[in-house]
Amino acid sequence: METVAPAVDLVLGASACCLACVFTNPLEVVKTRLQLQGELKARGTYPRHYRGFVASVVAVARADGLSGLQKGLAAGLLYQGLMNSVRFYCYSLACQAGLTQQPGGTVVAGAVAGALGAFVGSPAYLVKTQLQAQTVAAMAVGHQHHHQSVLGALETIWQQQGLAGLWRGVGGAVPRVMVGSAAQLATFASAKAWVQEKQWLPEDSWLVALAGGMISSIAVVAVMTPFDVASTRLYNQPADGAGRGQLYGGLTDCLVKIWRQEGPLALYKGLGPAYLRLGPHTILSMLFWDELRKLARRRQHQGT
């Protein structure tokens, strides 16, 4: 993969993912509701307000209005901007240093870059999850936090739980983004190179990046969904005054409780919307990123 300056990748990566977020946020709302539905309850013992993707979209729109499908968008954009600026910057540094040319280098670089990005963006993801879970009492799933805005949510958490409370749930977010980022960046680079090698499409065509993103999205969803379910639960659970979760003690405790009380398939709750969200988001963000990088490289060449 040709490189551009890491600072340029910082801006391009964040911009591309924020643009993708605008289109995929409604899917994130549906996915969040499905992942919280029936929390720590055996199948068949709770009302299912959300059933599948299409019915869930309709349910959200009826309960919260069409604007409800964009709940948490501001927090989502903040998260994408923070997380991906760090992620793409660090990955670009690794590319520039030649680390991604080593065996397994793309996977390691993607995982480390993702972990750093997830840590920086964790407060925004915390608020995003809690805002997207909020709805009318008749359709509520999971704990309801009753935030009025992104800034209001951050202020409330700060006042009630202190600075550490803003990073509650980060123990689930870092592994989630590590595996997702490693799968995304590694498979996108290799898938794009494979498509170019087959010469099915013009080498500089945006369709090459699109095909690479489509292949990459399958790998991302397959490895990321269990961590995504656990991360949603950890972020949305009620907390005590010290910021400690009242339902789960951490990532491992969360995964074990879900497995034991809801069954192993519960780790893939919301898989359909997760793919419909992660798939297009991966495709769009990697496509936008790749096209913006091409534009940046052309301008660099023109400048020389």
Side-chain angles (χ1 to χ4, degrees):
M1 182 182 296
E2 293 183 65
T3 61
V4 297
V8 175
D9 251 339
L10 181 153
V11 175
L12 298 185
S15 301
C17 292
C18 284
L19 185 57
C21 179
V22 174
F23 295 100
T24 60
N25 191 67
L27 300 168
E28 185 76 6
V29 174
V30 171
K31 182 210 71 173
T32 298
R33 302 279 178 90
L34 285 168
Q35 290 178 341
L36 290 171
Q37 185 167 248
E39 187 169 19
L40 299 183
K41 295 178 182 177
R43 186 177 179 85
T45 63
Y46 56 87
R48 294 181 63 192
H49 302 305
Y50 307 97
R51 296 173 177 268
F53 171 64
V54 176
S56 296
V57 169
V58 173
V60 172
R62 284 178 176 172
D64 305 316
L66 288 176
S67 62
L69 291 169
Q70 285 289 12
K71 275 195 171 184
L73 177 60
L77 291 172
L78 178 61
Y79 169 72
Q80 293 294 336
L82 290 171
M83 192 271 284
N84 285 295
S85 60
V86 173
R87 184 167 75 106
F88 281 96
Y89 180 77
C90 293
Y91 187 75
S92 186
L93 284 177
C95 290
Q96 197 174 66
L99 298 178
T100 55
Q101 303 303 314
Q102 304 301 317
T106 54
V107 174
V108 174
V112 173
L116 293 172
F119 182 83
V120 172
S122 187
Y125 198 93
L126 169 70
V127 172
K128 178 195 75 69
T129 301
Q130 294 180 2
L131 287 171
Q132 290 176 339
Q134 290 180 185
T135 185
V136 297
M139 298 293 289
V141 290
H143 184 72
Q144 300 291 289
H145 293 270
H146 306 294
H147 299 309
Q148 298 300 313
S149 65
V150 176
L151 290 178
L154 292 170
E155 183 180 3
T156 298
I157 295 169
W158 175 288
Q159 292 176 345
Q160 294 180 355
Q161 303 168 28
L163 180 63
L166 293 172
W167 269 269
R168 180 170 60 85
V170 72
V174 168
R176 169 188 175 273
V177 178
M178 280 183 71
V179 296
S181 180
Q184 183 188 62
L185 293 171
T187 57
F188 176 74
S190 57
K192 184 184 166 191
W194 179 73
V195 172
Q196 288 175 326
E197 182 182 328
K198 294 297 182 181
Q199 297 183 338
W200 292 330
L201 300 165
E203 185 175 350
D204 291 331
S205 172
W206 62 271
L207 291 172
V208 174
L210 177 64
M214 291 176 67
I215 297 170
S216 177
S217 66
I218 297 173
V220 172
V221 174
V223 301
M224 198 173 179
T225 299
F227 295 96
D228 197 39
V229 174
S231 186
T232 297
R233 300 285 184 88
L234 289 168
Y235 275 128
N236 194 66
Q237 68 174 324
D240 60 22
R244 293 186 295 266
Q246 296 180 2
L247 297 179
Y248 312 104
L251 176 62
T252 302
D253 182 53
C254 181
L255 291 171
V256 170
K257 283 182 176 177
I258 293 173
W259 181 289
R260 288 178 176 174
Q261 298 186 39
E262 301 176 50
L265 292 180
L267 293 172
Y268 281 89
K269 274 188 174 181
L271 178 62
Y275 177 75
L276 290 173
R277 180 262 167 192
L278 283 170
H281 187 87
T282 298
I283 293 168
L284 289 172
S285 60
M286 300 310 286
L287 174 61
F288 293 151
W289 178 52
D290 194 68
E291 290 300 307
L292 288 171
R293 293 174 98 247
K294 286 180 183 177
L295 179 61
R297 287 196 297 270
R298 282 198 293 267
R299 289 187 174 179
Q300 284 179 351
H301 293 156
Q302 290 172 359
T304 59

